Amino acid sequence: MRADENATVNASPAKEEYKKALAANLFAGGATNKVLAFKHKAPAAPADHQNSLRVLYTQNRDAGLLPKKYSRHIPQAPERILDAPELLDDYYLNLLDWNERNVLAVALGDSIYLWNASDGSIQQLMQTSGDNSHVTSLSWVQDGPYMAVGTSDHKVQIWDVEKLKQVRSMSGHRARVSSLSWNGPLLSSGGRDSVVMQHDVRVADHKVGTLRGHAQEVCGLKWSPSGTQLASGGNDNILNVWDDRYTSSANGVCDQPLLRLDQHRAAVKALAWCPWQRHLLASGGGTADRMIRFWNSSTGACLNAVDTHSQVCALQWAKHDRELVSSHGYSHNQLILWKYPSMVKVAELTGHTSRVLHMAQSPDGTTVVTAAADETLRFWKILSGGEASKKERAAAKESILNSMTIR
């Protein structure tokens, strides 16, 4: 039997009369279940009154809902400076690369030197033969001891770095080879002859494709992390994105890129695919353009464009954080660290006295090295190497916990 039913059963006339008399005396004749009742509103506080607890409660509320901000120190000076005599002052070349084994390669005139960042040792890999010949591009294979080298006498060479030995030389270009990019065993090369060639280095007949989409020198070349798209930038101000359609052609020739993007107003050398967001490509324009543009390589849409007020020579995405580094030439010769996607400047670094032509990133993602026409290499430890991401995740978790309250 429920409690409310018990109240009706147990009631008697005598008890009811007693309750009425008691209510009349206690509640001034009005029976009510309320022991305390406000008959008039509380008086209003004075106009200048400020509750001392109000500020405390307001601050605590905001602190629980907003994530904490973490800032890291960005050194304004390079961690290390190395001399780079005879580094060619040529915007269209690609003479610097840093591999996963922590070895930095730099081309100085007709030679390539290797600097081991782990032990500081330096050795010469090769020297071109022939009068007035020089190295015009180089690129490490993604995983392994091999390097591709482009030369002024139209050749693409493959070197075994452990043995300090050339293993093959591939022809096909009719002018200097100014850009290189690996995609597994497939090597792409771009030249002053405006052609991009595809080489399968595993077979004797290496030439498997020819991409014709530029009218002038191909100075920028980068495969996407997925290996499904190739970006090429030229001195004709054109940015092309290619897929594998050349493989369906009888002779391997393709003159129709997947995307042809013509919004830059100067040479497009600086190219960088985002390592943590699919189909996101950044490109930078030369002196007459000075823009960094962001593209969706799936649709061809330009997502954003930022005027850097200086020639864009190279771009590097941070491996672990949503940041981008750009290096510049005329007229400021600086490095800029950007926060993405806001494109707010985190830091602007100066020190080079000539245009900063090349840039590469250390395998641990903490350092970028720059090579400039002032014949120096400078190492800038300006990236977090993942520490910022860990702090941001911890801050987000703490923010969620602070906003959860027991009611």
Side-chain angles (χ1 to χ4, degrees):
M1 187 175 289
R2 293 183 301 178
D4 56 347
E5 293 175 350
N6 288 337
T8 304
V9 171
N10 294 332
S12 67
K15 286 183 178 181
E16 289 298 319
E17 287 297 324
Y18 174 74
K19 286 169 65 177
K20 289 179 181 179
L22 186 63
N25 287 305
L26 291 177
F27 302 115
T32 177
N33 291 329
K34 295 181 179 179
V35 177
L36 298 175
F38 288 109
K39 294 188 177 181
H40 302 287
K41 290 184 178 181
D48 58 348
H49 175 73
Q50 186 107 11
N51 191 329
S52 61
L53 295 178
R54 178 177 176 274
V55 175
L56 176 64
Y57 288 138
T58 302
Q59 289 178 341
N60 285 345
R61 179 190 63 198
D62 292 342
L65 296 178
L66 297 176
K68 291 183 179 179
K69 294 183 179 180
Y70 286 88
S71 60
R72 69 178 190 275
H73 172 64
I74 308 295
Q76 294 296 305
E79 185 179 49
R80 181 192 298 266
I81 301 176
L82 298 178
D83 289 333
E86 299 184 44
L87 181 76
L88 296 176
D89 183 7
D90 192 326
Y91 176 80
Y92 303 102
L93 306 185
N94 292 274
L95 306 177
L96 187 71
D97 201 11
W98 203 337
N99 73 355
E100 291 299 320
R101 301 184 179 195
N102 209 18
V103 179
L104 179 70
V106 58
L108 304 178
D110 60 2
S111 302
I112 292 178
Y113 292 89
L114 307 175
W115 180 73
N116 190 316
S118 299
D119 59 21
S121 62
I122 299 174
Q123 62 182 162
Q124 182 177 347
L125 172 65
M126 57 84 71
Q127 185 174 14
T128 60
S129 58
D131 295 336
N132 300 319
S133 64
H134 55 272
V135 177
T136 51
S137 56
L138 58 83
S139 178
W140 287 105
V141 71
Q142 285 100 327
D143 185 23
Y146 297 101
M147 181 190 297
V149 178
T151 66
S152 59
D153 54 0
H154 321 167
K155 296 292 192 297
V156 176
Q157 303 174 359
I158 307 297
W159 284 77
D160 184 329
V161 176
E162 289 182 346
K163 298 178 180 179
L164 301 180
K165 180 181 178 181
Q166 180 181 327
V167 293
R168 75 180 302 177
S169 178
M170 299 179 291
S171 59
H173 283 284
R174 293 175 286 105
R176 70 179 187 180
V177 181
S178 43
S179 55
L180 296 163
S181 184
W182 288 92
N183 182 19
L186 186 70
L187 174 64
S188 301
S189 61
R192 187 180 261 177
D193 55 7
S194 75
V195 171
V196 176
M197 296 188 64
Q198 309 282 55
H199 312 269
D200 188 337
V201 300
R202 299 169 296 182
V203 297
D205 191 8
H206 58 87
K207 183 180 173 182
V208 295
T210 303
L211 311 180
R212 302 183 182 277
H214 292 280
Q216 295 188 43
E217 184 165 17
V218 181
C219 50
L221 207 56
K222 286 289 188 299
W223 275 100
S224 65
S226 64
T228 58
Q229 293 182 327
L230 172 67
S232 65
N235 195 30
D236 54 1
N237 311 346
I238 297 297
L239 169 61
N240 287 325
V241 177
W242 308 84
D243 55 11
D244 62 355
R245 65 183 65 191
Y246 72 91
T247 58
S248 60
S249 172
N251 56 2
V253 176
C254 179
D255 56 8
Q256 185 60 48
L258 176 66
L259 298 172
R260 187 178 189 273
L261 308 170
D262 60 1
Q263 295 188 32
H264 282 290
R265 295 293 175 263
V268 184
K269 177 198 175 187
L271 298 173
W273 291 93
C274 182
W276 35 260
Q277 185 170 325
R278 190 176 174 86
H279 299 305
L280 177 57
L281 171 65
S283 62
T287 307
D289 182 69
R290 307 175 305 181
M291 304 291 290
I292 297 176
R293 293 185 178 273
F294 299 91
W295 309 90
N296 182 328
S297 67
S298 178
T299 65
C302 183
L303 306 175
N304 193 12
V306 178
D307 188 351
T308 67
H309 305 288
S310 192
Q311 179 189 48
V312 184
C313 298
L315 295 169
Q316 283 280 335
W317 288 99
K319 294 181 180 181
H320 304 287
D321 299 298
R322 282 166 164 71
E323 294 175 343
L324 179 76
V325 186
S326 59
S327 74
H328 299 271
Y330 306 122
S331 57
H332 301 302
N333 307 321
Q334 83 277 40
L335 264 73
I336 302 177
L337 176 62
W338 309 84
K339 193 71 177 173
Y340 184 84
S342 66
M343 292 306 286
V344 171
K345 289 183 182 180
V346 179
E348 190 162 357
L349 308 168
T350 57
H352 281 294
T353 57
S354 296
R355 53 185 181 169
V356 188
L357 296 167
H358 314 289
M359 181 165 53
Q361 187 173 168
S362 63
D364 65 2
T366 63
T367 304
V368 293
V369 58
T370 52
D374 59 10
E375 298 188 344
T376 65
L377 299 178
R378 295 173 187 249
F379 295 78
W380 312 83
K381 197 166 185 177
I382 57 174
L383 303 177
S384 73
E387 290 303 314
S389 295
K390 293 177 185 177
K391 290 181 178 179
E392 286 178 4
R393 287 194 294 270
K397 183 177 180 180
E398 185 178 347
S399 174
I400 293 172
L401 293 175
N402 288 341
S403 64
M404 297 170 63
T405 56
I406 300 174
R407 300 186 183 280

